[in-house]
Amino acid sequence: MFDLRQALAARERPIRRWLPIALRTAAVLLVPWILTLALSVRRFGARNLANSWVWLDVLEVLALLLLASLVHRRHPATSSLASATAVLLAMDAYFDLWSSHRGSDYLAAQVMAYTAELPGAALLAVLSWYSSRWATRTPDTSVGA
């Protein structure tokens, strides 16, 4: 007889194995960008929007690392954190495009937005929807019966 639970669990195993690796990799790849951005803040002065971008990217790294851990454990908070991280990525893309100047800065913002931030936000939105059932799972009562 076909067991739906076993079929869903089999489909979920690769997601729970590979997605945390992808999320951790994305977080690690952001670190050199954060360092580059932090070093360029000096040329603009200490109090400007560049500081905000550094801290926004640091928040993204922390959220991605925490999300990797939650996905691995099928934690009920995965859906909420995935949607919040998707918003962070989309907001980062929007403000990068909005605040960059013409030329190479704008081109770099477009490349980052269209190849990394917006696809990442879409993936996290799907993860949020997919993992929402982890928050509503009911305990298995058939064990003691």
Side-chain angles (χ1 to χ4, degrees):
M1 179 178 236
F2 179 74
D3 187 11
L4 182 61
R5 275 191 203 155
Q6 287 180 350
L8 288 174
R11 195 176 92 198
E12 197 173 273
R13 260 183 240 118
I15 293 171
R16 288 183 45 214
R17 182 177 53 235
W18 292 106
L19 190 57
I21 293 169
L23 292 169
R24 285 185 192 105
T25 302
V28 167
L29 290 174
L30 266 173
V31 172
W33 172 249
I34 292 170
L35 294 174
T36 302
L37 195 57
L39 293 174
S40 71
V41 168
R42 273 194 236 151
R43 80 176 177 198
F44 297 113
R47 296 184 54 91
N48 69 12
L49 283 178
N51 286 326
S52 302
W53 301 145
V54 171
W55 290 110
L56 178 63
D57 288 342
V58 168
L59 281 174
E60 290 171 6
V61 167
L62 294 175
L64 289 169
L65 291 173
L66 180 58
L67 192 55
S69 175
L70 294 180
V71 166
H72 181 70
R73 293 184 288 145
R74 291 184 67 202
H75 195 278
T78 303
S79 180
S80 300
L81 185 61
S83 60
T85 308
V87 169
L88 278 176
L89 289 173
M91 183 177 70
D92 191 4
Y94 172 78
F95 283 112
D96 283 347
L97 290 171
W98 177 74
S99 66
S100 60
H101 301 289
R102 290 186 182 137
S104 63
D105 287 345
Y106 187 65
L107 181 61
Q110 284 184 321
V111 168
M112 289 290 291
Y114 300 134
T115 63
E117 293 162 342
L118 294 177
L123 175 71
L124 291 176
V126 170
L127 174 63
S128 177
W129 172 80
Y130 181 81
S131 63
S132 63
R133 64 187 172 92
W134 299 347
T136 59
R137 65 182 160 185
T138 56
D140 188 8
T141 56
S142 64
V143 175

